[in-house]
Amino acid sequence: MIGGLFIYNHKGEVLISRVYRDDIGRNAVDAFRVNVIHARQQVRSPVTNIARTSFFHIKRSNIWLAAVTKQNVNAAMVFEFLYKMCDVMSAYFGKISEENIKNNFVLIYELLDEILDFGYPQNSETGALKTFITQQGIKGQPQTKEEQSQITSQVTGQIGWRREGIKYRRNELFLDVLESVNLLMSPQGQVLSAHVSGRVVMKSYLSGMPECKFGMNDKIVIDKQGKGGTTDDPGKSGKQSIAIDDCTFHQCVRLSKFDSERSISFIPPDGEYELMRYRTTKDIILPFRVIPLVREVGRTKLEVKVVIKSNFKPSLLAQKIEVRIPTPLNTSGVQVICMKGKAKYKASENAIVWKIKRMAGMKESQISAEIELLPTNDKKKWARPPISMNFEVPFAPSGLKVRYLKVFESKLNYSDHDVIKWVRYIGRSGIYETRC
Amino acid sequence: MPAVSKGDGMRGLAVFISDIRNCKSKEAEIKRINKELANIRSKFKGDKALDGYSKKKYVCKLLFIFLLGHDIDFGHMEAVNLLSSNKYTEKQIGYLFISVLVNSNSELIRLINNAIKNDLSSRNPTFMCLALHCIANVGSREMAEAFAGEIPRILVAGDTMDSVKQSAALCLLRLYKTSPDLVLMGEWTSRVVHLLNDQHMGVVTAAISLITCLSQKNPDEFKTCVSLAVSRLSRIVSSASTDLQDYTYYFVPAPWLSCKLLRLLQCYPPPEDGAVKGRLVECLETILNKAQEPPKSKKVQHSNAKNAILFEAISLIIHYDSEPNLLVRACNQLGQFLQHRETNLRYLALESMCTLASSEFSHEAVKTHIETVINALKTERDVSVRQRAADLLYAMCDRSNAKQIVAEMLSYLETADYSIREEMVLKVAILAEKYAVDYSWYVDTILNLIRIAGDYVSEEVWYRVIQIVINRDDVQGYAAKTVFEALQAPACHENMVKVGGYILGEFGNLIAGDPRSSPLVQFNLLHSKFHLCSVPTRALLLSAYIKFINLFPETKSTIQEVLRSDSQIRNSDVELQQRAVEYLKLSSIASTDVLATVLEEMPPFPERESSILAKLKKKKGPGAVSVNELEEGKREGGELNGGGERGGDSSAIAASNASTPSPSADLLGLRAGPPVTAAAPSAGSLLVDVFSEAGINDDGFLRDLEPTTESSDSLLAEGPGDSDSAPPSVVSEDPTPLPESDELLNKFVCKNNGVLFENQLLQIGIKSEYRQNLGRIYLFYGNKTSVQFVTFTTTVTCPGELQSQLNVQSKPVEPLIEGGAQVQQVINIECLTDFSDAPLLNIKFRYGGALQNLTLKLPVTINKFFQPTEMASHDFFQRWKQLSQPQQEAQKIFKASHAMDTEVLKAKLLGLGMALLENVDPNPENFVCAGVIQSKAQQVGSLLRLEPNAQAQSGEQMYRLTVRSSKDTVSKRLCELLAEQF
């Protein structure tokens, strides 16, 4: 289990230090700083072992969060906890920055006491936490006994993530399918690896204790129904269904039901939360194709031509497109010509950055650049790092579709039809690279 | 070095550095640096030629980026361009960049060297200095190659500026330290010495560092510096504090120069010239006098400078060790420092006194401070000072104060710092032994030592106690008694148990008369410690038990019971188990006579000095032994100290552990019945001793017992039901050559081809050829039977040290030899250095199911690598005389075993490989030969003279053979080989 938790700023100064177990001493704080933060080579592994002590760290902008343990813990659990903690903190005070952490250190210690007990993670649901850890402090009116007992029963009860008696005039819910598509492609256009990791994020403003049911075009479910005989055309349904490699759910989802019937039913928390996470690797729609052409002219010149093609319905518009073409380390000058968007050589990043605001589907655009090089002493050849790309498209590259989201509330008198539902798909680029 | 002044300031650089300093994160810093690098690249690439200022600025930035830890792979060219600038700042930055970022890129190095050469030959002293600094800072071999010739010229040239001379001297020193072979001595050396007379003190200071370093390698060339140094020193010492102006440091005239002069003088013996010596003594006296004067300043720098000179002077006095008056004065001066407030001074005083104590003149004077030193040992707060105090006590110890000092050290040991305990223990042990008049005092001291600091008592210490106790009859009884008493303490150290076990096992009978220490009580006492001890100690205790059985037959049943218990006889440790089993069998099977013989009391060790003492003796009287020397002594002690090896339980155990499977292997060997005497390990020969009851062998206690373990094994082998104790699964790998193989070897000394071996199954033919240090042997294995040999394998091994002397490679041979067929094997041999053994050839094959195994010596002898040398009579005798040292000659007079036939003799000598020289010896009957043995490591020239005497007195034919060669081992071996031939 987690023995301690430390938060450092970029210089390695300790901002927050909370030790849960005796086997973690003060020196652990310094060990991490010396061996990881101050290490000349950037430590690339998120798990570091120093003197029989394991350090799990994540970085949020300039802030290091490190969990320490001497035991053989489940590393995935520790990272899940760290991410959850970041979520909780940002829900409380916004961006995680040195300034914010310093200003809220009392709150953070309070939160740490609550969400980690003797190193065992506890309820880290923001909604539930906010009922009893408030930022205002106890001023004037203390909570009534009833309120207190309500909090106790909620936190210790079966449904710890939602309190009773919530009322809204308008019952509304928002569903976002957010996906990031990762790709590595060879110069010849062969896909070397590709996968989509997606999240279904929900924002619910529903009264009472509603029971929800979520349906999507999961291949297993569709096939089952197909067998049941409701769909006549298995080919059609097969085409539109997707194979999900793995998925995880928010704690509110009834896993037993998912296991037996593969239906996703739950009582949603109030406000924003992440309903599920999933990953697919098959039949991914790649929104863009990058065709690089690099020619070395002598020792002091390099010619680069890059073509990008959009590969989706012409009616849709991709946004925030950015192509990053790495340049050799001995570049001394760059001339760029592009038809669309703006391109610039950024010396500080050793790359040509080409930005296009909007681009419709089934279009093509190109950039060409001449790079002048300075002859150097060492004969090290340029490693030719891949060309990477960023974009945002209004569909799910995995092909996931939300089929339904039903809401049942038996006690209060509103039905599924009265709830206003919004669904949105956003596909973003993860690590989207093409070798050149 | 002038800093970058404001008017010349590089604003861009300052901005860049402050940008970097302001970066919030590593990423931001890298971004800023990348941007700057791109900017510099574009500037360097640009078509416009850069002016000197911007070039300097960008090179500076690159240097800064490099120092931040980023790779810089361009800009070298621009830096080299800066070198040829005429502006100081630009040149300086250029040199700075070059000396930080120099790489051995050939074209650039040429340019750089060129630029440096230009600067060296320029008349501008600043530029010359810059160039010299760059050479010294880089200091690489390439630099030395290029400039080692030039710099001495600059150094001694009459018109060189003083500052340049200083730099040149230090630069040359640096080059000499990195590549001394490239700095050639020449006529400049004598002129360098005269720099000591230079007007400029800075030049003298720089030159003296160089001279000190050079004179350590070639003292003779710089002998003249002594008188110059003395006169310079006397001028400084006698000068008033105001005379030297710039070189006066807190009222002390030129302290650094004085120290260096004194140190230089320490490289040489006292000057022989009376006048010079008188002047020097006068100087030293002045220095000692000045130390008595009241300080001119209260500043610590003043006293530091003064004391630095004083300590250097004292070291010189100690180094000369010939002026009793000065030595005593120095000692008194140091005595004052012993109680000085300053810790550093106390430390230095103790350290210098240690060396003073070793001088016969000042030893007594040092001894007067004993109380102060003991006090320092007890009260000093700083552990390093305490250590020096302990060192000094050790150094000043002699027969008169040994008891006091040892007692003090022992009592201090109880509270001593852990870091110095081991050393203290060793010192106490050495002193106690060295000055022991009364050996019971010695035994008491060492036992006390073990009691107080058992953990720090090294093996050698207790080995030595045992050695001394065994060799001195008068203390044995006392030792047994004391040990017995010491063991009665509830918690005793394992080393104590070791000593106790050993001594009671040997001399327990001496105290058995007392009912309080009856045999059974002794045994029970020892056995009560048994379970708390480590395996080696337990093994030792088991040996003590078996000795008890011999000493006190009444304890036999008790001890057998113990040995029989599961915890012994089935112990998981193989050593303990083996001992338990063997001792049990030995005690139950062997008769009392056999037991008494096997387990007889240890014979006295031959009186040998402990090596540590021997080392100390060399130093004339009780010397100061530094930690290093002590440690060294300790190591040697382990090797040489008689007690160390022979009483050494652990070494014996280590030996037996190393050959754990040996008992069974030997056992098998016994069954197979090869001659035990030949090359079997020591255990084999000991076995013979036991069987023949030829009394004890004089090996150590455990060695003495060790063979009995072997013997009990063999007893077991004869008895029934032995299979579990020694499963005969290990095939003897012991390559014991056939007894006749030595004869076979002799057959081939003078010839290269023939039949090496023959029996009813196999014939081995040999054909060999040698060239220089290489040889090739063809072996022909002939199957004489009509049945095929299967799994025919041969291996060639080089036993022992031969491995490093010969390089033998054999090609594998076909595993199957048909009846009547013959197979060939090629063996390549390279002679690395001279050798005396022969490689072993092991042959294994199956003939009709039976495994045949035989080992032969390959006829490779040292003479095979002879290269004949023809020479005239005159040459021969000249060389003969050159090799006249006694160890270079080997001579043998022996009877002729064959008829004296001149022609046969000649043929044999030719076959030997040397050149047979005609008409050399005045007596035509005699034969002389000359040759050179070729090995990879060296060539050994050898000369031989064979004088036949057909009518000796007894009527028999005799030969006198004399071999001389440049290496003693070669002469001996050749002589041995040849003696068998005629």
Side-chain angles (χ1 to χ4, degrees):
Chain A
M1 289 307 112
I2 297 170
L5 208 134
F6 308 124
I7 302 181
Y8 302 85
N9 68 4
H10 71 281
K11 288 183 206 149
E13 291 162 347
V14 189
L15 304 177
I16 300 284
S17 152
R18 180 76 173 85
V19 175
Y20 291 94
R21 296 192 169 223
D22 291 340
D23 55 1
I24 302 298
R26 286 256 151 240
N27 50 357
V29 190
D30 299 327
F32 182 77
R33 174 180 39 237
V34 171
N35 289 298
V36 182
I37 302 181
H38 288 174
R40 213 76 204 78
Q41 263 79 32
Q42 280 174 326
V43 174
R44 298 176 74 180
S45 162
V47 184
T48 321
N49 263 305
I50 306 160
R52 297 173 153 265
T53 312
S54 308
F55 293 81
F56 305 80
H57 77 262
I58 60 170
K59 253 189 109 177
R60 281 282 179 272
S61 63
N62 273 335
I63 299 298
W64 299 72
L65 287 98
V68 193
T69 182
K70 280 213 160 175
Q71 282 159 312
N72 185 13
V73 296
N74 181 346
M77 186 276 284
V78 176
F79 283 112
E80 183 65 36
F81 172 78
L82 286 176
Y83 287 124
K84 203 81 204 173
M85 200 185 127
C86 288
D87 290 347
V88 170
M89 288 198 293
S90 42
Y92 268 94
F93 50 76
K95 198 174 160 254
I96 298 177
S97 64
E98 186 177 349
E99 186 91 333
N100 276 343
I101 288 180
K102 279 180 176 166
N103 289 339
N104 292 290
F105 80 95
V106 180
L107 171 73
I108 293 172
Y109 279 113
E110 208 177 337
L111 283 173
L112 281 176
D113 278 345
E114 199 55 49
I115 59 180
L116 207 56
D117 188 5
F118 194 46
Y120 293 96
Q122 307 292 313
N123 189 355
S124 54
E125 197 53 49
T126 320
L129 284 171
K130 277 195 168 162
T131 59
F132 53 91
I133 298 180
T134 55
Q135 278 162 293
Q136 281 75 31
I138 305 161
K139 222 194 263 172
Q141 65 229 30
Q143 284 166 321
T144 62
K145 255 216 173 115
E146 281 156 46
E147 277 173 336
Q148 280 176 1
S149 69
Q150 203 192 353
I151 289 170
T152 316
S153 73
Q154 188 210 329
V155 171
T156 55
Q158 210 178 9
I159 303 165
W161 57 88
R162 188 180 181 91
R163 66 190 167 89
E164 294 211 40
I166 300 170
K167 273 231 166 70
Y168 286 103
R169 210 161 51 80
R170 242 157 76 111
N171 288 309
E172 208 171 7
L173 68 83
F174 301 85
L175 199 68
D176 287 353
V177 176
L178 307 172
E179 294 193 337
S180 73
V181 52
N182 299 285
L183 168 78
L184 182 63
M185 195 179 250
S186 76
Q188 288 76 32
Q190 194 183 356
V191 175
L192 300 172
S193 83
H195 76 269
V196 170
S197 58
R199 311 188 297 146
V200 178
V201 175
M202 218 168 142
K203 216 186 258 179
S204 69
Y205 302 105
L206 300 170
S207 313
M209 292 292 256
E211 172 86 37
C212 297
K213 209 171 169 193
F214 174 66
M216 57 183 183
N217 57 343
D218 181 3
K219 196 172 184 182
I220 297 172
V221 178
I222 304 276
D223 285 359
K224 221 197 262 171
Q225 285 170 354
K227 253 180 230 159
T230 49
T231 317
D232 307 294
D233 190 356
K236 196 184 162 200
S237 70
K239 206 172 188 182
Q240 287 181 349
S241 63
I242 60 160
I244 289 176
D245 285 14
D246 47 51
C247 53
T248 54
F249 294 103
H250 189 264
Q251 59 166 335
C252 64
V253 175
R254 292 195 186 87
L255 290 177
S256 54
K257 231 170 185 180
F258 179 76
D259 288 341
S260 57
E261 301 167 24
R262 221 174 157 87
S263 73
I264 303 163
S265 65
F266 54 95
I267 295 171
D270 199 37
E272 188 173 345
Y273 65 98
E274 185 185 289
L275 178 66
M276 74 178 282
R277 254 185 253 174
Y278 59 91
R279 204 169 62 90
T280 70
T281 48
K282 284 209 187 80
D283 300 326
I284 293 165
I285 307 157
L286 296 173
F288 284 97
R289 165 115 156 76
V290 177
I291 304 157
L293 199 79
V294 179
R295 207 157 66 90
E296 284 178 46
V297 190
R299 274 192 66 199
T300 59
K301 206 168 162 191
L302 201 67
E303 281 180 5
V304 182
K305 201 170 119 185
V306 176
V307 181
I308 59 167
K309 282 183 180 165
S310 56
N311 183 27
F312 44 87
K313 268 189 267 171
S315 58
L316 298 174
L317 269 182
Q319 290 183 24
K320 298 178 190 167
I321 300 151
E322 186 184 289
V323 182
R324 179 174 292 263
I325 304 160
T327 55
L329 291 175
N330 54 347
T331 305
S332 62
V334 178
Q335 273 95 49
V336 201
I337 307 162
C338 61
M339 305 288 141
K340 214 177 164 194
K342 278 179 187 163
K344 205 179 164 191
Y345 166 59
K346 286 201 172 169
S348 59
E349 289 153 42
N350 282 323
I352 299 168
V353 179
W354 177 26
K355 284 182 179 165
I356 304 170
K357 277 202 182 114
R358 253 174 243 104
M359 190 171 177
M362 293 312 187
K363 285 264 167 61
E364 179 177 318
S365 186
Q366 89 166 30
I367 183 174
S368 56
E370 270 184 24
I371 301 173
E372 277 180 76
L373 303 175
L374 188 77
T376 58
N377 306 351
D378 37 283
K379 306 282 176 278
K380 259 189 287 174
K381 223 176 160 251
W382 183 42
R384 289 202 184 195
I387 293 171
S388 60
M389 207 181 158
N390 289 320
F391 54 79
E392 203 177 292
V393 288
F395 62 92
S398 68
L400 182 125
K401 290 261 161 18
V402 176
R403 288 171 62 219
Y404 58 82
L405 185 95
K406 293 173 189 152
V407 180
F408 309 99
E409 169 55 272
S410 45
K411 283 180 196 152
L412 297 170
N413 53 350
Y414 69 93
S415 70
D416 189 30
H417 301 291
D418 302 329
V419 180
I420 307 158
K421 299 170 193 165
W422 305 86
V423 179
R424 179 163 69 153
Y425 297 95
I426 299 172
R428 291 202 180 94
S429 57
I431 296 166
Y432 201 86
E433 292 179 334
T434 310
R435 290 191 179 151
C436 59
Chain B
M1 191 174 76
V4 181
S5 65
K6 244 200 179 143
D8 196 36
M10 292 175 275
R11 221 181 97 73
L13 179 67
V15 168
F16 173 61
I17 292 175
S18 75
D19 276 1
I20 294 279
R21 297 244 161 97
N22 288 334
C23 280
K24 277 272 191 300
S25 69
K26 183 121 189 117
E27 289 75 26
E29 185 185 312
I30 289 171
K31 274 189 177 173
R32 182 69 185 87
I33 285 168
N34 278 338
K35 197 175 148 202
E36 194 58 48
L37 282 176
N39 176 34
I40 298 172
R41 279 196 300 262
S42 67
K43 284 286 189 316
F44 282 174
K45 174 82 181 185
D47 304 326
K48 266 197 305 186
L50 292 171
D51 59 350
Y53 166 77
S54 27
K55 227 183 250 176
K56 177 182 73 173
K57 186 175 76 185
Y58 293 129
V59 167
C60 250
K61 282 182 181 176
L62 283 180
L63 193 54
F64 184 75
I65 293 171
F66 176 78
L67 294 177
L68 281 177
H70 298 265
D71 276 340
I72 297 294
D73 50 8
F74 65 99
H76 299 78
M77 201 56 218
E78 281 70 19
V80 172
N81 286 342
L82 280 179
L83 294 187
S84 53
S85 159
N86 270 329
K87 272 197 188 136
Y88 173 77
T89 48
E90 288 165 20
K91 208 186 255 299
Q92 180 211 19
I93 294 294
Y95 273 121
L96 189 60
F97 189 88
I98 296 299
S99 42
V100 173
L101 261 129
V102 79
N103 58 4
S104 34
N105 189 318
S106 57
E107 44 189 322
L108 273 184
I109 278 287
R110 216 152 28 92
L111 288 172
I112 294 167
N113 282 356
N114 217 6
I116 292 177
K117 269 208 181 100
N118 282 340
D119 279 341
L120 283 183
S121 55
S122 79
R123 301 277 82 198
N124 187 333
T126 2
F127 291 178
M128 287 175 91
C129 278
L130 275 180
L132 287 168
H133 294 170
C134 178
I135 296 170
N137 279 333
V138 175
S140 64
R141 235 191 128 66
E142 290 81 32
M143 284 288 179
E145 268 164 13
F147 300 107
E150 186 117 354
I151 295 166
R153 205 178 43 70
I154 295 172
L155 181 59
V156 297
D159 54 349
T160 315
M161 296 273 289
D162 289 337
S163 58
V164 179
K165 270 190 195 167
Q166 282 184 54
S167 299
L170 293 177
C171 179
L172 190 59
L173 175 62
R174 164 71 204 241
L175 293 186
Y176 182 74
K177 277 182 179 165
T178 45
S179 22
D181 52 318
L182 291 177
V183 180
L184 300 169
M185 298 298 135
E187 52 95 38
W188 58 273
T189 46
S190 58
R191 297 176 64 184
V192 163
V193 173
H194 285 282
L195 286 178
L196 289 179
N197 268 337
D198 202 284
Q199 294 291 315
H200 193 268
M201 296 289 268
V203 175
V204 184
T205 317
I208 202 160
S209 299
L210 176 67
I211 292 169
T212 311
C213 185
L214 290 173
S215 63
Q216 274 159 357
K217 281 274 165 59
N218 333 290
D220 290 341
E221 285 207 49
F222 293 91
K223 237 179 197 159
T224 45
C225 71
V226 174
S227 60
L228 288 175
V230 169
S231 65
R232 175 55 88 169
L233 182 66
S234 84
R235 259 180 287 159
I236 295 171
V237 168
S238 57
S239 70
S241 57
T242 49
D243 287 358
L244 295 168
Q245 289 175 355
D246 284 353
Y247 288 85
T248 302
Y249 177 81
Y250 288 89
F251 307 107
V252 183
W256 282 277
L257 184 55
S258 315
C259 285
K260 282 181 176 175
L261 284 167
L262 288 164
R263 212 167 273 173
L264 173 65
L265 290 172
Q266 283 173 46
C267 302
Y268 289 96
E272 281 144 21
D273 184 353
V276 176
K277 188 164 184 185
R279 214 165 161 197
L280 179 57
V281 169
E282 201 177 297
C283 284
L284 294 172
E285 270 171 353
T286 320
I287 293 171
L288 287 172
N289 287 339
K290 274 192 180 170
Q292 297 293 341
E293 286 169 16
K296 290 192 179 114
S297 157
K298 283 213 173 101
K299 287 262 172 59
V300 68
Q301 288 95 330
H302 171 72
S303 57
N304 275 349
K306 221 167 88 175
N307 291 333
I309 298 174
L310 177 64
F311 275 108
E312 245 0 287
I314 290 175
S315 326
L316 184 64
I317 294 168
I318 294 167
H319 171 75
Y320 285 163
D321 196 17
S322 58
E323 300 286 328
N325 174 34
L326 283 178
L327 280 166
V328 171
R329 281 196 62 187
C331 184
N332 293 338
Q333 183 60 47
L334 291 175
Q336 287 179 11
F337 284 148
L338 282 183
Q339 280 157 323
H340 201 276
R341 245 174 349 99
E342 190 79 15
T343 312
N344 290 336
L345 270 185
R346 290 199 300 274
Y347 180 93
L348 287 170
L350 287 168
E351 197 184 28
S352 302
M353 260 198 177
C354 261
T355 35
L356 270 180
S358 59
S359 162
E360 51 182 321
F361 302 113
S362 56
H363 184 68
E364 286 307 315
V366 172
K367 266 166 67 182
T368 56
H369 298 289
I370 184 162
E371 290 305 329
T372 327
V373 179
I374 287 172
N375 204 31
L377 187 65
K378 282 177 181 162
T379 57
E380 185 60 58
R381 251 187 283 152
D382 189 322
V383 64
S384 59
V385 182
R386 284 203 299 270
Q387 167 138 27
R388 289 290 141 243
D391 284 349
L392 179 54
L393 273 185
Y394 176 77
M396 67 166 66
C397 187
D398 62 12
R399 206 167 284 279
S400 64
N401 54 13
K403 275 199 179 173
Q404 187 195 2
I405 286 179
V406 168
E408 287 294 346
M409 283 173 98
L410 261 182
S411 70
Y412 170 63
L413 200 53
E414 292 191 55
T415 53
D417 197 88
Y418 291 102
S419 54
I420 60 170
R421 273 199 186 180
E422 181 167 1
E423 202 194 318
M424 292 277 294
V425 165
L426 210 62
K427 282 181 173 163
V428 171
I430 292 171
L431 290 180
E433 185 192 332
K434 197 161 149 200
Y435 300 113
V437 197
D438 173 7
Y439 276 92
S440 54
W441 173 74
Y442 170 73
V443 171
D444 277 342
T445 307
I446 298 294
L447 289 183
N448 248 334
L449 193 65
I450 295 176
R451 190 176 53 72
I452 293 169
D455 284 338
Y456 301 92
V457 173
S458 55
E459 301 279 287
E460 290 80 28
V461 173
W462 74 265
Y463 293 165
R464 191 74 188 143
V465 190
I466 283 168
Q467 197 186 3
I468 286 174
V469 168
I470 286 185
N471 286 8
R472 307 233 158 222
D473 298 338
D474 45 334
V475 285
Q476 285 167 357
Y478 179 78
K481 189 160 151 284
T482 335
V483 163
F484 179 75
E485 279 162 8
L487 279 178
Q488 271 165 340
C492 39
H493 194 268
E494 193 164 332
N495 278 336
M496 184 70 93
V497 179
K498 284 182 188 164
V499 178
Y502 199 104
I503 289 184
L504 290 183
E506 290 291 327
F507 311 113
N509 53 336
L510 298 177
I511 54 166
D514 190 329
R516 281 173 299 171
S517 53
S518 71
L520 220 53
V521 175
Q522 285 184 32
F523 171 74
N524 284 336
L525 182 63
L526 275 184
H527 198 58
S528 68
K529 313 283 182 206
F530 187 87
H531 307 282
L532 306 170
C533 296
S534 63
V535 169
T537 314
R538 289 191 195 188
L540 187 144
L541 283 179
L542 285 181
S543 301
Y545 295 170
I546 187 78
K547 289 232 160 190
F548 266 48
I549 293 184
N550 177 41
L551 289 177
F552 318 114
E554 67 267 30
T555 58
K556 187 171 176 175
S557 57
T558 323
I559 291 174
Q560 278 184 341
E561 199 56 45
V562 169
L563 290 176
R564 202 177 286 126
S565 71
D566 275 358
S567 60
Q568 308 304 348
I569 213 158
R570 291 188 208 283
N571 196 300
S572 61
D573 186 89
V574 73
E575 177 69 30
L576 288 182
Q577 191 188 48
Q578 189 179 345
R579 284 192 190 215
V581 171
E582 286 166 359
Y583 292 162
L584 186 60
K585 278 286 170 207
L586 181 67
S587 64
S588 49
I589 290 174
S591 69
T592 42
D593 289 352
V594 172
L595 264 185
T597 318
V598 172
L599 303 170
E600 201 182 8
E601 187 181 306
M602 291 299 296
F605 293 92
E607 265 310 336
R608 263 199 276 168
E609 230 177 2
S610 98
S611 61
I612 311 171
L613 280 181
K615 198 175 174 65
L616 289 172
K617 272 256 168 81
K618 264 190 240 151
K619 302 194 84 181
K620 281 191 274 170
V625 181
S626 74
V627 186
N628 276 343
E629 281 172 314
L630 257 182
E631 226 107 79
E632 219 173 288
K634 227 169 65 192
R635 239 179 295 124
E636 271 175 43
E639 289 156 19
L640 301 177
N641 193 335
E645 268 195 6
R646 326 183 86 248
D649 191 43
S650 62
S651 61
I653 285 171
S656 69
N657 277 347
S659 58
T660 317
S662 73
S664 53
D666 281 347
L667 184 58
L668 276 181
L670 273 176
R671 275 183 183 160
V676 186
T677 42
S682 63
S685 59
L686 297 169
L687 261 180
V688 175
D689 281 2
V690 171
F691 280 140
S692 59
E693 299 195 352
I696 46 121
N697 52 78
D698 61 349
D699 248 307
F701 177 65
L702 281 162
R703 294 272 178 86
D704 186 17
L705 288 171
E706 214 56 48
T708 67
T709 74
E710 310 297 351
S711 74
S712 66
D713 243 352
S714 62
L715 291 171
L716 278 173
E718 281 155 23
D722 59 314
S723 53
D724 58 339
S725 69
S729 57
V730 190
V731 177
S732 171
E733 291 292 330
D734 221 354
T736 314
L738 292 177
E740 65 268 30
S741 63
D742 268 327
E743 282 173 45
L744 293 172
L745 190 64
N746 284 331
K747 236 168 66 179
F748 285 90
V749 169
C750 293
K751 61 177 182 174
N752 285 337
N753 308 327
V755 174
L756 180 64
F757 173 81
E758 188 162 17
N759 63 8
Q760 58 269 45
L761 302 176
L762 181 71
Q763 185 191 44
I764 304 175
I766 184 166
K767 227 176 108 182
S768 43
E769 48 197 34
Y770 293 89
R771 251 187 69 229
Q772 305 267 11
N773 65 330
L774 302 173
R776 176 170 289 169
I777 297 178
Y778 297 90
L779 288 172
F780 301 91
Y781 303 101
N783 184 348
K784 285 166 74 180
T785 65
S786 53
V787 186
Q788 64 183 20
F789 295 159
V790 291
T791 61
F792 188 88
T793 51
T794 65
T795 45
V796 182
T797 52
C798 294
E801 59 177 352
L802 193 60
Q803 255 169 357
S804 57
Q805 295 165 339
L806 272 190
N807 190 356
V808 181
Q809 287 170 332
S810 55
K811 303 222 169 88
V813 69
E814 279 167 34
L816 199 102
I817 306 182
E818 290 295 341
Q822 192 184 50
V823 293
Q824 183 193 340
Q825 186 183 23
V826 185
I827 298 171
N828 288 319
I829 295 174
E830 189 187 7
C831 176
L832 300 175
T833 178
D834 68 297
F835 60 97
S836 49
D837 250 336
L840 298 178
L841 171 70
N842 179 267
I843 301 161
K844 279 189 203 147
F845 58 93
R846 281 185 187 278
Y847 164 68
L851 180 66
Q852 306 285 329
N853 185 352
L854 82 157
T855 305
L856 300 168
K857 281 191 177 171
L858 268 186
V860 181
T861 45
I862 184 71
N863 62 298
K864 299 290 184 195
F865 301 96
F866 258 132
Q867 194 86 339
T869 320
E870 290 290 345
M871 54 178 80
S873 164
H874 170 72
D875 282 346
F876 181 85
F877 281 104
Q878 192 182 2
R879 281 170 206 231
W880 184 261
K881 276 182 199 123
Q882 275 169 5
L883 300 169
S884 58
Q885 285 173 30
Q887 70 266 26
Q888 287 174 332
E889 184 187 273
Q891 197 174 56
K892 221 168 195 177
I893 300 170
F894 53 91
K895 274 187 214 161
S897 43
H898 306 284
M900 270 191 194
D901 185 337
T902 319
E903 284 318 304
V904 173
L905 278 175
K906 271 188 183 172
K908 278 192 175 171
L909 286 171
L910 280 174
L912 189 65
M914 299 172 94
L916 184 62
L917 304 179
E918 304 279 0
N919 307 326
V920 170
D921 203 278
N923 182 351
E925 292 284 314
N926 294 350
F927 298 92
V928 291
C929 303
V932 177
I933 289 173
Q934 305 274 349
S935 70
K936 200 181 174 192
Q938 77 222 85
Q939 301 192 336
V940 182
S942 307
L943 304 173
L944 174 147
R945 194 175 190 199
L946 182 69
E947 299 161 273
N949 184 354
Q951 285 85 36
Q953 291 159 336
S954 55
E956 280 173 313
Q957 297 183 318
M958 300 287 281
Y959 287 107
R960 187 166 79 174
L961 175 70
T962 317
V963 181
R964 284 187 177 185
S965 73
S966 52
K967 211 165 167 197
D968 50 346
T969 47
V970 172
S971 321
K972 247 184 235 132
R973 179 65 185 156
L974 278 177
C975 202
E976 276 165 27
L977 281 174
L978 284 176
E980 306 294 326
Q981 298 302 316
F982 304 105

